[in-house]
Amino acid sequence: LDRERHGFSQISQASHPLLKSDDVWAIAETPDHGLWFGTFGGGLYRLDRDHRMSRYLPEEGQADALPSENVLALAVDAGGDLWVGTTSGLARWTGQGFDAVANAGLSGEIVFSLSPEGRDLWVGTNQGLDLRRADGSIEHPSWREALPDKGVNAVLSDREGAHWISTRRGLALERAGVVTALTGGLAG
């Protein structure tokens, strides 16, 4: 992403043979200026500043491999760590491989969204919203049961400490543990 450029270039299977899927679901940039993008069915890719592309896939029997070739969400936390949400769980890029988060701690195996809040990470799964703390613990906020749906697509923390949460069945606002479903339009 270069401000001096005056156009776009397309990265696709046609122009980059290493790319095995044009179905891109997520994109993120790490502090070293690596551009990461996750695909459905083709794994995770990193594009370096020199336009060199690397591909990451699951590998049976390799503990530090990507959990799934279906990458739905990417996020970089305040510490610069890249987090990867897949259809088979959550992982963190270590610089050499992936450190998978035990699915037993998450509400669901399918990770739809990742939203950093400092060094903590909101994880939206197919079965509920979780908060992964910087120390590795996972919390299940009691107020999440009041959301319009268990499947969480995104979380935005605003300046006042409230959380705007998009779900498969609408938008909600959580403020001080109270959830308000925003349906039928917003009064102005």
Side-chain angles (χ1 to χ4, degrees):
L1 303 176
D2 185 349
R3 292 181 191 193
E4 302 301 316
R5 295 176 80 178
H6 300 284
F8 294 93
S9 60
Q10 183 178 3
I11 298 172
S12 67
Q13 288 177 289
S15 62
H16 292 78
L18 182 64
L19 189 61
K20 299 301 178 196
S21 173
D22 287 333
D23 195 1
V24 178
W25 280 64
I27 188 168
E29 183 182 20
T30 46
D32 64 356
H33 303 289
L35 183 67
W36 295 80
F37 55 99
T39 67
F40 197 89
L44 178 66
Y45 298 84
R46 177 190 161 96
L47 189 63
D48 292 329
R49 291 187 93 163
D50 63 0
H51 300 280
R52 187 179 48 203
M53 188 181 292
S54 303
R55 180 177 181 208
Y56 302 91
L57 289 168
E59 293 182 38
E60 194 172 326
Q62 187 172 335
D64 65 346
L66 189 66
S68 170
E69 64 185 12
N70 302 314
V71 177
L72 305 180
L74 295 171
V76 178
D77 68 19
D81 286 332
L82 175 71
W83 291 92
V84 183
T86 75
T87 54
S88 295
L90 175 66
R92 183 182 60 85
W93 172 247
T94 66
Q96 302 295 323
F98 297 91
D99 182 21
V101 173
N103 284 343
L106 296 175
S107 295
E109 184 178 25
I110 301 172
V111 177
F112 289 138
S113 66
L114 299 171
S115 303
E117 188 172 76
R119 293 290 311 246
D120 296 335
L121 184 68
W122 288 103
V123 181
T125 75
N126 58 318
Q127 294 297 316
L129 179 64
D130 303 315
L131 180 62
R132 186 192 183 280
R133 294 288 186 185
D135 66 6
S137 63
I138 296 177
E139 297 177 6
H140 310 288
S142 59
W143 49 260
R144 73 183 183 158
E145 300 305 322
L147 293 173
D149 189 74
K150 287 183 177 188
V152 173
N153 299 322
V155 177
L156 174 72
S157 303
D158 70 18
R159 288 176 268 212
E160 298 172 3
H163 298 101
W164 296 83
I165 303 161
S166 70
T167 74
R168 296 179 294 195
R169 289 196 165 57
L171 185 64
L173 172 64
E174 178 275 327
R175 182 177 285 128
V178 176
V179 174
T180 304
L182 306 172
T183 58
L186 300 174

